[in-house]
Amino acid sequence: MKIGALKETAEGEARVAITPSSAAHLQKLGYDVVVETGAGAKSGFSDEDYRAAGVEIADDSGTLVDEADIVARVRQPSGDEIRRMRQGQTLISFFYPGQSAELLEVAKDQGINAIAMDMVPRISRAQKMDALSSMANIAGYRSVIEAANNFGRFFTGQVTAAGKVPPAKVLVVGAGVAGLAAIGTATSLGAQVYAFDVRPEVAEQIESMGAEFVFLDFEDTTTDGAETGGYAAPSSPEFREKQLEKFRELAPQMDVVITTALIPGRDAPVLWTKDMVEAMKPGSVIVDLAAEKGGNCELTQADQRIVSDNGVIIIGYTDFASRMGAQASELYGNNIRHFMADLTPEKDGQVNHNMDDDVIRGATVTHGGEITYPPPKPKVAAIAAKPREKKKEPTPEERRAAEVAAFKKETQSQIMMLAVGGVLLLLIGMIAPPSFMAHFIVFVLACFVGFKVIWNVAHSLHTPLMAITNAISSIIILGALMQIGSGSWLVVLLGALAVLMAGVNIFGGFLVTRRMLAMFQKS
């Protein structure tokens, strides 16, 4: 069978569904690959690059559709483009079936098998085919680059001879794939990053990337990612009001706001209202990744960069992924070739459209002359982490009772250890000479006292290990000072050397700590 990639017709679209590298993988599955002439030009892939990879070049889209058994593209096709296809052909593209009822009817009447890459189930096995995540990852990264390009200062803080530059404060609303990509990029640029999500279980992910989670003290049980395919569910009106109240509090402090809240099949919720924009500082930047579905910011205009009356820049581009055409094409091409691998289990170049497979069934929206959207829930649902349980603060009486119980337990443990130690010393004393026992008891007491002294030292250095070594060095100095007064010149020399080396270790520890902390300080 033959699989072909069409040249995208949407204005400004730079992506292509099959790249030279993904074509090689498709050929290993047994397929012949054909690409419309000029399809990869905007992504930096020439026709010669495709020919070198063994790909056939079609002169126009009509020729490609006539020749290919499987047609791949990026953007959602039009009704006329589907009508040009023949019965039994397979179409792979973004489709948005929830908002495209008429297009589904056209595909059904035409008898094609339509696979929507935006409908790939969000389960572990399908991650390599998840085109929405691939494109969202690029959009999140690119949103920070666009924000930095429009922001009038450095993201990172600097102290220079010309003056001090504070770090930019960036708020990322939504910690899905795009949000996490934005957090990682903004953090790497040196900004102070804050992030909010209605799912409290993502707080650890946010904090692990160096951002601060904006916690909302409100319990909302409607946000279950498992029920929405891994996305955050719509929130209750009460939660929304609390959320907007928190954003109004943050708005005057933020230099950059990146909004990513969008669930496929739904309009984008308005999270950044006009009064929040008015509360922001002139020169601040808002990047709205949900502009295609109305936008999270009330003032967003799709595909436009506007400036509000108070000087806030609002970016509503809908082609963030396309602005990085080469990278986006590679990732999307890999998503398609992984999907084709599932469609071709025998690697014989023949499609086996197994509707019992969760991934294939979930992404198929028309098949065999029937509309198969919406799909049933996959057998393996997206797993949502359990929200953090709030710890109940103990009452003063409970706290005192816990302290008494801990003290009693520790006392019992100490008595037991003393009893065991006493029995061991008695047994040793029965067979050892008196001179040995005198020295041995001193040695045991020294070990016990030393242990207690060393392990109770406060960790004032950047690692507990350095604090402990400093405590040991201090004990060495005390012991050496006691021996320096000896009449033997050898003992005096060894004691002086011990004081010198232990002192170097102590001062060196604090010096290293000072330098280590300076590396992580933001100006």
Side-chain angles (χ1 to χ4, degrees):
M1 298 182 76
K2 185 175 287 188
I3 181 171
L6 289 168
K7 181 179 180 180
E8 298 298 318
T9 57
E11 184 178 355
E13 180 56 68
R15 291 171 290 180
V16 63
I18 297 177
T19 64
S21 61
S22 67
H25 291 283
L26 292 171
Q27 289 164 351
K28 291 178 181 178
L29 293 174
Y31 292 99
D32 295 325
V33 184
V34 58
V35 172
E36 183 182 352
T37 182
K42 293 182 180 178
S43 296
F45 307 118
S46 67
D47 288 352
E48 291 304 317
D49 293 331
Y50 283 105
R51 288 192 181 97
V55 177
E56 180 186 342
I57 303 298
D59 294 334
D60 52 48
S61 59
T63 302
L64 185 144
V65 172
D66 290 340
E67 292 182 0
D69 302 289
I70 305 158
V71 177
R73 60 180 303 148
V74 181
R75 292 270 186 163
Q76 180 188 49
S78 65
D80 291 338
E81 289 170 329
I82 291 179
R83 291 187 185 95
R84 289 163 52 191
M85 299 181 67
R86 63 182 181 274
Q87 184 176 359
Q89 272 185 306
T90 299
L91 170 68
I92 302 177
S93 72
F94 282 98
F95 206 96
Y96 308 110
Q99 297 89 44
S100 310
E102 293 182 5
L103 204 60
L104 282 174
E105 290 292 338
V106 173
K108 181 194 75 170
D109 295 340
Q110 201 67 17
I112 68 169
N113 301 322
I115 294 173
M117 292 303 290
D118 51 291
M119 288 298 298
V120 173
R122 284 201 157 178
I123 58 178
S124 297
R125 185 170 67 84
Q127 287 181 355
K128 59 188 177 183
M129 315 170 208
D130 190 351
L132 280 178
S133 292
S134 297
M135 299 303 103
N137 182 29
I138 295 175
Y141 171 86
R142 183 70 188 198
S143 68
V144 178
I145 303 303
E146 293 290 343
N149 185 47
N150 285 272
F151 187 53
R153 292 204 323 263
F154 298 128
F155 264 36
T156 185
Q158 292 190 7
V159 178
T160 69
K164 181 178 180 180
V165 180
K169 291 186 177 181
V170 178
L171 173 64
V172 179
V173 180
V177 176
L180 291 174
I183 291 168
T185 308
T187 302
S188 66
L189 289 176
Q192 289 184 355
V193 185
Y194 303 83
F196 174 83
D197 197 281
V198 297
R199 300 163 295 177
E201 64 267 18
V202 303
E204 292 180 359
Q205 288 179 288
I206 290 169
E207 291 164 357
S208 70
M209 299 185 73
E212 180 179 333
F213 181 65
V214 177
F215 183 75
L216 198 62
D217 191 13
F218 186 93
E219 186 175 354
D220 187 6
T221 59
T222 64
T223 56
D224 185 358
E227 294 299 318
T228 54
Y231 295 94
S235 305
S236 64
E238 296 80 10
F239 183 89
R240 174 178 162 77
E241 287 304 316
K242 197 76 175 178
Q243 182 181 4
L244 295 180
E245 180 184 331
K246 187 66 176 181
F247 289 162
R248 288 188 180 95
E249 177 187 331
L250 293 173
Q253 307 170 32
M254 295 299 132
D255 299 305
V256 175
V257 175
I258 298 173
T259 60
T260 71
L262 183 63
I263 301 174
R266 296 187 176 97
D267 291 333
V270 176
L271 302 177
W272 208 261
T273 57
K274 182 180 179 181
D275 63 296
M276 296 176 195
V277 177
E278 293 171 347
M280 296 179 72
K281 295 170 286 191
S284 301
V285 180
I286 299 173
V287 182
D288 194 340
L289 293 183
E292 190 173 6
K293 295 299 179 182
N296 297 136
C297 176
E298 191 174 1
L299 301 183
T300 296
Q301 295 181 22
D303 295 311
Q304 300 293 321
R305 175 193 180 276
I306 65 171
V307 182
S308 68
D309 294 338
N310 63 321
V312 176
I313 300 167
I314 304 172
I315 298 172
Y317 301 149
T318 61
D319 60 347
F320 285 104
S322 183
R323 286 169 182 260
M324 301 182 70
Q327 182 68 76
S329 297
E330 289 288 7
L331 294 181
Y332 185 67
N334 283 334
N335 293 144
I336 287 182
R337 63 105 166 171
H338 283 304
F339 200 99
M340 291 305 301
D342 272 26
L343 283 172
T344 320
E346 302 298 326
K347 298 183 180 181
D348 57 356
Q350 299 297 316
V351 170
N352 177 15
H353 208 117
N354 181 11
M355 293 295 277
D356 291 327
D357 184 289
D358 276 344
V359 178
I360 295 173
R361 175 65 184 88
T364 302
V365 293
T366 63
H367 182 260
E370 295 182 359
I371 295 176
T372 57
Y373 173 83
K377 288 184 179 181
K379 302 179 186 71
V380 182
I383 300 173
K386 294 181 180 179
R388 289 180 172 179
E389 295 182 1
K390 294 184 178 179
K391 293 182 179 180
K392 182 182 177 182
E393 287 294 328
T395 62
E397 292 78 10
E398 291 174 338
R399 192 179 293 110
R400 281 195 294 271
E403 291 174 355
V404 170
F407 177 76
K408 288 181 177 179
K409 185 176 180 180
E410 184 179 0
T411 303
Q412 291 173 355
S413 175
Q414 290 175 348
I415 293 173
M416 182 65 67
M417 290 176 65
L418 287 172
V420 172
V423 171
L424 289 174
L425 285 175
L426 181 61
L427 293 174
I428 294 172
M430 293 174 65
I431 58 175
S435 59
F436 172 80
M437 287 303 300
H439 292 294
F440 182 70
I441 292 173
V442 171
F443 172 75
V444 171
L445 290 175
C447 289
F448 178 76
V449 173
F451 176 82
K452 286 294 185 181
V453 169
I454 290 170
W455 285 99
N456 282 312
V457 171
H459 297 159
S460 59
L461 299 180
H462 74 280
T463 65
L465 178 60
M466 291 192 68
I468 293 168
T469 56
N470 271 17
I472 294 173
S473 297
S474 301
I475 292 177
I476 292 172
I477 290 175
L478 288 174
L481 290 174
M482 293 177 65
Q483 298 299 323
I484 283 178
S486 172
S488 172
W489 66 271
L490 182 59
V491 173
V492 173
L493 178 61
L494 292 175
L497 289 174
V499 171
L500 175 63
M501 289 185 286
V504 169
N505 186 58
I506 291 174
F507 291 112
F510 281 101
L511 182 60
V512 170
T513 294
R514 179 183 177 85
R515 291 186 177 181
M516 289 289 292
L517 293 177
M519 291 173 62
F520 296 99
Q521 286 177 345
K522 289 187 177 180
S523 302

